[in-house]
Amino acid sequence: MANTSRATIRTAIHKRIRRKVKGSTERPRLAVYRSLNHIYAQIIDDQQGQTLVSASTTEKGLQGSTGGNVEAARRIGKTIAERALAKGISSVVFDRGGYLYHGRIKALTEAARQAGLNKDESAGEQDSSDKENKE
């Protein structure tokens, strides 16, 4: 088995994802970076190469007891959605950054959807969760 680190593997996965996921002016990219102690989110217009909105647990107003948990990810998801909607961005392409769609990454995305980003996507997920609750 190859002697590679997790960071190297994640970088390779992220490069593979970025071949397909592009942000445009109409629908920018929501990029997520997760470190051990913090979580960062940026909305990026790849055509102009410009960050439009950002939020992270390192900001003074968003710091909690720790930035490395699911509750902190929910805070960042809600904040990034509010800031994006204030700038007139209502739809984004999600870039999970090579991480599994699980835990903090999933919490951030779902909080952003609940706060108003990608309204059309959140409706589809609620229908599937309603079906599970009925069974």
Side-chain angles (χ1 to χ4, degrees), residues 4-57:
T4 54
S5 68
R6 251 186 221 188
T8 306
I9 294 168
R10 187 195 69 80
T11 304
I13 294 169
H14 191 210
K15 284 181 183 177
R16 198 165 47 233
I17 291 170
R18 288 285 291 122
R19 281 188 219 137
K20 295 180 182 181
V21 176
K22 302 277 188 239
S24 64
T25 305
E26 299 84 34
R27 194 166 181 206
R29 174 171 57 99
L30 172 59
V32 177
Y33 176 73
R34 174 184 65 104
S35 71
L36 190 62
N37 295 319
H38 296 286
I39 192 158
Y40 308 82
Q42 293 182 328
I43 296 182
I44 304 165
D45 180 356
D46 287 323
Q47 290 176 341
Q48 297 178 357
Q50 185 175 12
T51 299
L52 306 173
V53 181
S54 68
S56 74
T57 54

Side-chain angles (χ1 to χ4, degrees), residues 86-105:
K87 281 219 168 186
I89 301 166
S90 60
S91 181
V92 296
V93 177
F94 184 66
D95 175 13
R96 60 187 172 88
Y99 302 105
L100 294 177
Y101 187 73
H102 175 77
R104 289 190 280 162
I105 304 297

